[in-house]
């Protein structure tokens, strides 16, 4: 099962400056997010007050997604499923994938928050030179080869 490293944030509001906690986690191909031991991601040791928080998921070459509303995290753990609807994300910035589910938009190789020709040109450049056996931002499936399977 392919897993991608993601950063999960909790925010008091929609502003990035309101981030109160972050935790590294693994995003599995089935859409579940777990810690590096394969268990449910818990923020219980990072938040002292129960309440409602926005959940943000960031990945190195995808546009970040944030919950459409603040989620009540009491009791912990609370579950939030981004995959069921584009409306589950703030700004409706997810893409439809197979089976009526939704996922993160990939392809932001230069990590500027926009997917455009600059990103495609980075990918195309790495594809042309045959980049392999290296950690490349344009290697979207993490097989250490930049090829047509990545786009």
């Amino acid at each position: 099962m392919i897993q991608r490293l993601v950063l999960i944030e909790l925010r008091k509001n929609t502003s990035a400056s309101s981030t109160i906690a972050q935790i590294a986690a693994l995003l599995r191909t089935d859409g579940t997010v777990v810690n590096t031991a394969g268990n449910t991601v818990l923020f219980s040791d990072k938040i002292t007050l129960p309440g409602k928080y926005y959940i943000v998921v960031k990945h190195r070459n995808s546009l970040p997604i944030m919950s459409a509303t603040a989620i009540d995290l009491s009791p912990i753990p609370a579950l939030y499923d981004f995959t069921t609807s584009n409306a589950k994300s703030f700004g409706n910035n997810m893409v439809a994938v197979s089976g009526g589910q939704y996922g993160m938009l990939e392809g932001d190789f230069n990590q500027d928050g926009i997917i455009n020709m600059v990103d495609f040109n980075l990918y195309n450049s790495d594809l042309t030179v045959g980049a392999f056996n290296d950690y490349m931002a344009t290697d979207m499936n993490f097989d250490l080869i930049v090829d047509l399977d990545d786009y």
Side-chain angles (χ1 to χ4, degrees), residues 5-6 15 18 20 23-24 36 39 45 54 78 91-92 98 106 110 117 125 136:
L5 186 62
V6 292
S15 169
S18 72
I20 63 154
I23 191 168
T36 55
N39 303 316
D45 61 333
Y54 286 86
N92 301 318
S98 64
E106 294 184 322
N110 66 352
M117 284 304 294
S125 174
M136 305 289 293

Short mmCIF file of all heavy atoms in Angstrom, two decimals, residues 5-6 15 18 20 23-24 36 39 45 54 78 91-92 98 106 110 117 125 136:
data_model
loop_
_atom_site.label_atom_id
_atom_site.label_comp_id
_atom_site.label_asym_id
_atom_site.label_seq_id
_atom_site.Cartn_x
_atom_site.Cartn_y
_atom_site.Cartn_z
N LEU A 5 3.52 10.97 2.95
CA LEU A 5 3.67 11.76 4.16
C LEU A 5 2.88 13.05 4.01
O LEU A 5 2.99 13.75 3.00
CB LEU A 5 5.15 12.07 4.39
CG LEU A 5 5.49 12.77 5.70
CD1 LEU A 5 5.12 11.90 6.89
CD2 LEU A 5 6.96 13.10 5.74
N VAL A 6 2.07 13.35 5.01
CA VAL A 6 1.28 14.58 5.03
C VAL A 6 1.49 15.27 6.37
O VAL A 6 1.95 14.66 7.34
CB VAL A 6 -0.24 14.32 4.80
CG1 VAL A 6 -0.50 13.84 3.39
CG2 VAL A 6 -0.80 13.35 5.83
N SER A 15 -7.36 31.23 9.03
CA SER A 15 -6.05 31.85 8.81
C SER A 15 -4.92 30.90 9.20
O SER A 15 -4.96 30.26 10.25
CB SER A 15 -5.95 33.13 9.64
OG SER A 15 -4.63 33.61 9.65
N SER A 18 -3.44 31.05 12.67
CA SER A 18 -4.19 30.52 13.81
C SER A 18 -3.89 29.05 14.09
O SER A 18 -4.56 28.42 14.90
CB SER A 18 -5.69 30.72 13.59
OG SER A 18 -6.17 29.83 12.60
N ILE A 20 -2.66 25.89 15.76
CA ILE A 20 -2.32 25.61 17.15
C ILE A 20 -1.60 24.28 17.33
O ILE A 20 -0.99 24.04 18.37
CB ILE A 20 -3.56 25.64 18.06
CG1 ILE A 20 -4.54 24.54 17.66
CG2 ILE A 20 -4.21 26.99 18.05
CD1 ILE A 20 -5.41 24.10 18.79
N ILE A 23 0.93 17.76 13.18
CA ILE A 23 1.43 16.41 13.38
C ILE A 23 1.69 15.78 12.01
O ILE A 23 0.90 15.96 11.08
CB ILE A 23 0.45 15.56 14.22
CG1 ILE A 23 1.09 14.25 14.65
CG2 ILE A 23 -0.86 15.34 13.50
CD1 ILE A 23 0.30 13.51 15.71
N ALA A 24 2.81 15.10 11.87
CA ALA A 24 3.11 14.38 10.64
C ALA A 24 2.32 13.08 10.65
O ALA A 24 2.16 12.44 11.70
CB ALA A 24 4.60 14.09 10.55
N THR A 36 2.76 7.26 12.04
CA THR A 36 3.81 6.42 11.45
C THR A 36 3.81 5.00 11.98
O THR A 36 4.41 4.11 11.39
CB THR A 36 5.20 7.06 11.66
OG1 THR A 36 5.38 7.31 13.06
CG2 THR A 36 5.32 8.34 10.88
N ASN A 39 -1.42 3.79 13.43
CA ASN A 39 -2.58 4.00 14.30
C ASN A 39 -3.29 5.31 13.97
O ASN A 39 -2.74 6.16 13.28
CB ASN A 39 -2.14 4.02 15.77
CG ASN A 39 -1.42 2.74 16.15
OD1 ASN A 39 -1.84 1.65 15.81
ND2 ASN A 39 -0.30 2.88 16.85
N ASP A 45 -2.46 15.03 22.84
CA ASP A 45 -1.32 15.56 23.57
C ASP A 45 -0.92 16.96 23.08
O ASP A 45 -0.02 17.57 23.64
CB ASP A 45 -0.13 14.61 23.45
CG ASP A 45 0.33 14.41 22.01
OD1 ASP A 45 -0.50 14.56 21.09
OD2 ASP A 45 1.51 14.11 21.81
N TYR A 54 -10.48 23.92 12.66
CA TYR A 54 -10.38 23.58 11.24
C TYR A 54 -9.26 22.55 11.10
O TYR A 54 -8.20 22.69 11.72
CB TYR A 54 -10.08 24.81 10.39
CG TYR A 54 -11.27 25.72 10.23
CD1 TYR A 54 -11.55 26.68 11.19
CD2 TYR A 54 -12.13 25.59 9.14
CE1 TYR A 54 -12.64 27.52 11.06
CE2 TYR A 54 -13.23 26.42 9.00
CZ TYR A 54 -13.48 27.38 9.96
OH TYR A 54 -14.57 28.19 9.83
N ALA A 78 -12.04 12.64 16.88
CA ALA A 78 -13.16 12.98 16.02
C ALA A 78 -12.78 12.54 14.61
O ALA A 78 -11.62 12.60 14.23
CB ALA A 78 -13.43 14.47 16.06
N GLY A 91 -13.48 26.10 0.30
CA GLY A 91 -13.20 26.55 -1.05
C GLY A 91 -13.48 25.50 -2.12
O GLY A 91 -13.24 25.74 -3.29
N ASN A 92 -13.98 24.35 -1.72
CA ASN A 92 -14.31 23.28 -2.68
C ASN A 92 -13.16 23.01 -3.65
O ASN A 92 -13.34 22.98 -4.85
CB ASN A 92 -15.58 23.63 -3.46
CG ASN A 92 -16.78 23.83 -2.55
OD1 ASN A 92 -16.98 23.09 -1.60
ND2 ASN A 92 -17.56 24.84 -2.84
N SER A 98 -12.20 8.15 -8.48
CA SER A 98 -13.07 7.00 -8.75
C SER A 98 -14.06 6.74 -7.61
O SER A 98 -13.80 7.07 -6.46
CB SER A 98 -12.21 5.75 -8.97
OG SER A 98 -11.50 5.43 -7.80
N GLU A 106 -3.23 17.32 -7.14
CA GLU A 106 -1.78 17.14 -7.19
C GLU A 106 -1.19 17.94 -8.35
O GLU A 106 -1.86 18.25 -9.32
CB GLU A 106 -1.44 15.66 -7.39
CG GLU A 106 -1.82 14.80 -6.22
CD GLU A 106 -1.38 13.37 -6.40
OE1 GLU A 106 -1.44 12.85 -7.52
OE2 GLU A 106 -0.96 12.77 -5.40
N ASN A 110 6.25 23.27 -7.43
CA ASN A 110 7.08 24.31 -6.83
C ASN A 110 6.50 24.83 -5.52
O ASN A 110 7.03 25.76 -4.93
CB ASN A 110 7.35 25.45 -7.82
CG ASN A 110 6.10 26.20 -8.18
OD1 ASN A 110 4.99 25.82 -7.82
ND2 ASN A 110 6.27 27.29 -8.91
N MET A 117 1.36 26.28 -15.52
CA MET A 117 2.37 25.85 -16.49
C MET A 117 3.77 25.78 -15.88
O MET A 117 4.60 24.99 -16.33
CB MET A 117 2.39 26.78 -17.70
CG MET A 117 1.22 26.55 -18.66
SD MET A 117 1.09 24.84 -19.25
CE MET A 117 2.58 24.68 -20.23
N SER A 125 10.58 19.03 -17.64
CA SER A 125 12.04 19.10 -17.61
C SER A 125 12.63 17.84 -16.97
O SER A 125 13.56 17.24 -17.49
CB SER A 125 12.50 20.34 -16.86
OG SER A 125 13.89 20.35 -16.72
N MET A 136 12.61 13.59 -5.99
CA MET A 136 12.24 14.69 -6.87
C MET A 136 10.80 15.13 -6.55
O MET A 136 9.92 14.30 -6.39
CB MET A 136 12.30 14.25 -8.34
CG MET A 136 13.64 13.67 -8.77
SD MET A 136 14.94 14.88 -8.88
CE MET A 136 14.38 15.88 -10.23
#
